[in-house]
Amino acid sequence: YRFFGEPVVEACVENGANCIDISGEPQFLEGMYLKYNDKAAEKGVYVIGSCGFDSIPADMGVLYTRDKLKGDLMLKKKCRRCFHLGSCVHDGTWKSAVYGLADQDNLRKLRKKIGYTPLPVVGAKLKRRGFVFYNQEFKEYSIPFMGSDGSVVKRSQHFLHTELKETPVQYGAYVNIGGLGSVIKLMFAGMLFLLLVKFSFGRKLLTKYPEFFSAGRFTKDGPSQKQMDGTSFTMTFFGEGYSEGQDPQNGKPNVKICTEVKGPEPGYVATPILMVQAAVSLLEDAACLPKQGGVYSPGAAFSKTKLIDRLNKHGVEFSVISKPEV
């Protein structure tokens, strides 16, 4: 079991070894699927990408919420809250964001080559929120989450629908940013970031001076031990669906549920936990994996395994906040 990067994935597939990778960028996972999925399937090798934060909590959180709902979960939205007590993040994450946004055209080309068929919309269609909106559940402003977990969840739902004939879950991800002052600051910073990322010299500036352009959130040194000890994450999932016997094609959703995934500092504490427990599930739950090898997202690979139970025992906790109620 090796981690991180195409050379390792290629070596594992060539030598018939399973591979866990924590790279979260959609471009990486889609590219690995195109290059190695067929060969991995032939050799019975499982290549499972995005096995870190925040992909596993998001992807498995959707499946956890679906399974806890009494009926069919059709609508799913997630508000992501990260609590930082003076914390910062290593600039590797910052570089991924810079180059990921700059490479959107290539991502569209990759997806066109794969030829995904659109997932059916069962029941009421999930409405997308605006760029900035006031979140009544948390009494603060939120924006659409720009990370990779939306792409990861969609890949998992596509596999579960096409291969296992499961009803697909609609999904929207948002991040809370605080009060009106935070909104104004974010808008100015966001416009500058999007402008610079379009040009080569702008990307060089962003990656050379991450601390300056991120107001200290991203640094080349990463967080101190004290900062990591004082940092945790929480993901809250609000699900809507249909009770047993209710026809999704007639009427609005009549069941709601709220679940939560929480854990320690995301990058240096939670991600190793997620990665290692994914590897343990790959070893010990082999009979519960997809029937053939290939390149998979976490939800596609681990939906029938005991990964969530293992994570609960190691500090990344999945729980129901409010039970399904009609």
Side-chain angles (χ1 to χ4, degrees), residues 16-65:
N18 294 330
C19 178
I20 293 288
D21 195 284
I22 63 172
S23 302
E25 295 85 352
Q27 291 91 329
F28 178 81
L29 194 58
E30 309 284 4
M32 295 304 95
Y33 179 86
L34 276 172
K35 286 186 176 182
Y36 302 112
N37 184 66
D38 291 343
K39 196 166 188 178
E42 290 175 6
K43 293 196 172 187
V45 169
Y46 293 89
V47 177
I48 307 172
S50 305
C51 288
F53 184 86
D54 51 34
S55 296
I56 281 186
D59 207 6
M60 300 306 293
V62 170
L63 301 182
Y64 177 82
T65 305

Side-chain angles (χ1 to χ4, degrees), residues 236-263:
T236 307
F237 298 78
F238 298 95
E240 296 181 358
Y242 300 86
S243 58
E244 295 177 350
Q246 177 77 10
D247 186 357
Q249 303 303 331
N250 297 316
K252 297 180 178 180
N254 68 332
V255 180
K256 293 184 178 181
I257 185 174
C258 178
T259 65
E260 187 177 80
V261 181
K262 63 181 180 180

Side-chain angles (χ1 to χ4, degrees), residues 93-287:
T93 302
W94 174 262
K95 290 177 181 177
S96 295
V98 171
Y99 293 119
L101 282 174
D103 202 32
Q104 288 297 304
D105 289 341
N106 186 47
L107 177 59
R108 282 188 283 270
K109 292 177 182 178
L110 287 173
R111 288 175 173 168
K112 189 175 181 179
K113 288 181 180 179
I114 294 174
Y116 289 125
T117 56
L119 287 171
V121 176
V122 182
K125 187 175 182 180
L126 179 64
K127 295 181 180 179
R128 299 296 178 183
R129 307 298 296 268
F131 177 70
V132 178
F133 63 94
Y134 188 73
N135 194 320
Q136 294 292 340
E137 288 91 350
F138 298 107
K139 306 302 179 185
E140 57 183 276
Y141 287 93
S142 300
I143 62 171
F145 180 53
M146 302 299 289
S148 62
D149 63 357
S151 176
V152 173
V153 169
K154 191 172 183 179
R155 287 197 76 240
S156 293
Q157 291 300 314
H158 193 277
F159 172 83
L160 295 173
H161 174 67
T162 56
E163 299 297 327
L164 304 183
K165 310 305 177 186
E166 296 181 2
T167 302
V169 178
Q170 299 179 62
Y171 177 79
Y174 305 91
V175 57
N176 295 349
I177 57 174
L180 189 58
S182 297
V183 172
I184 295 172
K185 292 177 183 178
L186 182 66
M187 289 181 67
F188 279 108
M191 287 188 291
L192 178 61
F193 184 87
L194 291 174
L195 177 64
L196 290 174
V197 87
K198 291 181 179 179
F199 306 99
S200 176
F201 79 91
R203 293 192 290 273
K204 288 180 180 178
L205 284 175
L206 289 169
T207 54
K208 188 174 182 179
Y209 305 106
E211 191 167 359
F212 174 79
F213 286 103
S214 67
R217 285 292 184 184
F218 294 87
T219 70
K220 294 184 180 295
D221 296 328
S224 65
Q225 185 63 52
K226 183 178 180 181
Q227 288 173 324
M228 288 191 288
D229 292 341
T231 303
S232 63
F233 78 87
T234 303
M235 291 185 179
T236 307
F237 298 78
F238 298 95
E240 296 181 358
Y242 300 86
S243 58
E244 295 177 350
Q246 177 77 10
D247 186 357
Q249 303 303 331
N250 297 316
K252 297 180 178 180
N254 68 332
V255 180
K256 293 184 178 181
I257 185 174
C258 178
T259 65
E260 187 177 80
V261 181
K262 63 181 180 180
E265 189 278 330
Y268 295 89
V269 183
T271 287
I273 294 172
L274 298 166
M275 178 181 65
V276 169
Q277 294 311 311
V280 172
S281 291
L282 188 55
L283 279 170
E284 299 188 0
D285 299 338

